[in-house]
Amino acid sequence: MTEGLPPADQNLAVEASGLCKWFKKFQALRDVDLQVRRGERIVICGPSGSGKSTLIRCLNGLETCQQGQIRVNGRALAPGKNNLEIRRSIGMVFQSFNLFPHLSVLQNCTLAQVRAQKRSKEEAVEIARHYLARVKIIDQAGKFPSQLSGGQQQRAAIARALCMKPGTMLFDEPTSALDPEMIKEVLDVMVSLAEDGMTMICVTHEMGFARKVADRIIFMDEGRIVEEAPPEIFFSSPQTRRAQLFLDQILSSDVH
Amino acid sequence: MDFNHAFAIEIVPTILQALHTTLLVAVLSSIGAAAIGFTLEVTRRSGRLAGYAMRFVIDFIRSTPVLAQLYFLFFVLPFYGITLPAMVVGVLGLSIYYSGYLAEVFKAGIDAIHRGQWDAAKALGLSGFDTIIFVIAPQMLRNIAAPMGNYFVSVLKATPYLAVIAVPEMLGSGFDIASDTFRYAEPLVVVGIIFLFLAISIAQLVRLLETRLNAAHNR
């Protein structure tokens, strides 16, 4: 199961080794290795189609890799299986929010707690209210997602994921679908999570956020990890021409 | 042949005696068809082999006449030691037949749900069963309230088929009156009007349900 991976290390939240993934004939991931320590904040960036989203969707088993191994909190991800335990220990936030439209914000936050974590209704509501307050939308708890702004919806989605009390949070371009004036409110929540020591793996184009909270930037291109460095080094002296080009393009239009 | 209004009114109580059978069969068959159809569609999605098998079952159900299925259940099953009351055979037969069509409606309703809903449910660690029941089914119902209602009306209008296996439904009891009195126009018109009234009522109920489901979503 875990050949290719060293013995489980208690300090690692996520380990991946030799990941290869094809969609039909297109190879989305090429031999990707990744190790994330507990409490570490990783930002993954790169041009579109470079495999960033595919990589983090593999980490909680939303996509299955044809080759390679993944271990989360020392537990191997079984390909093709449901991996419910692992999924419950990793929270995920999506570009398109993916709140359940037929449930209120509060119900969005309690459903998986009650059904998957087997918490009592009262306990689930209490936890949901705690995290909704934390992302500052407790006053919207009774509303339906369609009644909220994009920024509020994304914060509700973050609260929903936090309710599962995950050790690691995955963010898949959480601000890409938002109007500019709403990006900050979501990033603020993410910054405060980082300050609390949450293990975070974020795919994002928000370079200001990356500079501020990332311990390490991972730059991907054409399914490979091309460059890996702390932000101060990555932004000031990128080692590869591909990363240099990417930074020139993204920073010339970056207002943050 | 003159239409005799007095005679038409006189036979209404007799025909209405069969109304509860017609309604009972229609309601139970609609529930049965929805339950079987939903199970077929969910099973069809569960894996490649199950997909092929359920596709075949759904196509088979839809491609054979409902009368043939009813006759089969009523006359052939007893040879294998399964003898069911006519009423049960009727409900079972209509449930199975319309489950094939409802499975297709459910398929469209589920296909219309954004892929991200499955992703979110999975990422939260919901089981497949919980995802279907708490995330997918409610959204599917909202998508398909209208076409599903149409099939419930179809089930109602198919209940006269059960006359062939001696279920005392409304058209059959109307026809009994016709055979006894040699007056055909009045019983058929009375039965027709009652069916029309029932069908319109169901359509209205479905419209109401649709409005409420949409209201809950857009509130």
Side-chain angles (χ1 to χ4, degrees), chain A residues 1-251:
Chain A
M1 290 290 287
T2 52
E3 71 270 23
L5 282 174
D9 178 344
Q10 285 308 307
N11 296 319
L12 291 177
V14 175
E15 301 159 81
S17 123
L19 298 185
C20 290
K21 162 94 184 156
W22 287 264
F23 293 105
K24 300 266 170 62
K25 285 195 172 156
F26 175 74
Q27 188 166 4
L29 294 180
R30 296 165 195 264
D31 199 20
V32 172
D33 294 314
L34 177 70
Q35 293 193 332
V36 181
R37 293 188 312 277
R38 285 183 203 280
E40 197 177 14
R41 277 93 54 166
I42 306 274
V43 164
I44 305 177
C45 62
S48 66
S50 59
K52 323 176 286 283
S53 289
T54 307
L55 172 59
I56 71 165
R57 288 171 60 85
C58 284
L59 297 182
N60 67 345
L62 284 187
E63 306 278 0
T64 36
C65 290
Q66 283 93 346
Q67 282 176 31
Q69 288 86 35
I70 295 170
R71 201 153 53 193
V72 176
N73 297 326
R75 260 203 168 100
L77 200 70
K81 293 280 170 52
N82 225 341
N83 297 304
L84 290 181
E85 289 305 316
I86 288 181
R87 289 208 180 112
R88 286 164 196 166
S89 70
I90 301 189
M92 187 162 194
V93 174
F94 302 88
Q95 180 176 357
S96 51
F97 324 141
N98 299 346
L99 290 169
F100 304 133
H102 59 294
L103 299 178
S104 72
V105 168
L106 187 70
Q107 290 168 328
N108 263 279
C109 293
T110 56
L111 175 65
Q113 292 191 64
V114 173
R115 300 301 310 177
Q117 307 271 46
K118 307 291 174 212
R119 291 183 191 143
S120 72
K121 185 83 194 299
E122 295 72 30
E123 191 189 359
V125 168
E126 197 178 309
I127 292 171
R129 296 188 68 85
H130 169 78
Y131 285 110
L132 286 172
R134 163 118 206 237
V135 301
K136 302 192 175 68
I137 45 167
I138 186 68
D139 47 330
Q140 316 285 340
K143 289 192 181 169
F144 284 80
S146 58
Q147 295 170 292
L148 305 185
S149 72
Q152 290 171 325
Q153 288 190 49
Q154 192 60 298
R155 284 184 285 146
I158 293 173
R160 177 177 69 176
L162 290 176
C163 283
M164 303 303 282
K165 304 198 171 163
T168 303
M169 287 283 285
L170 307 175
F171 292 85
D172 188 3
E173 303 204 25
T175 55
S176 299
L178 293 174
D179 291 335
E181 72 266 29
M182 292 168 185
I183 291 177
K184 187 173 178 301
E185 64 189 56
V186 171
L187 289 181
D188 285 348
V189 169
M190 291 169 64
V191 169
S192 94
L193 274 180
E195 283 164 355
D196 284 3
M198 174 71 78
T199 311
M200 294 166 73
I201 305 175
C202 315
V203 171
T204 182
H205 295 299
E206 296 297 330
M207 291 302 133
F209 170 79
R211 227 185 266 270
K212 192 164 172 186
V213 308
D215 296 312
R216 191 158 37 122
I217 310 258
I218 289 178
F219 176 74
M220 291 185 71
D221 189 32
E222 293 180 342
R224 283 192 186 83
I225 293 181
V226 177
E227 200 161 330
E228 219 175 321
E232 57 277 13
I233 294 175
F234 180 75
F235 287 113
S236 59
S237 52
Q239 301 300 303
T240 58
R241 179 157 168 70
R242 195 67 197 81
Q244 179 66 60
L245 274 172
F246 175 77
L247 283 174
D248 286 350
Q249 275 167 358
I250 204 159
L251 293 179

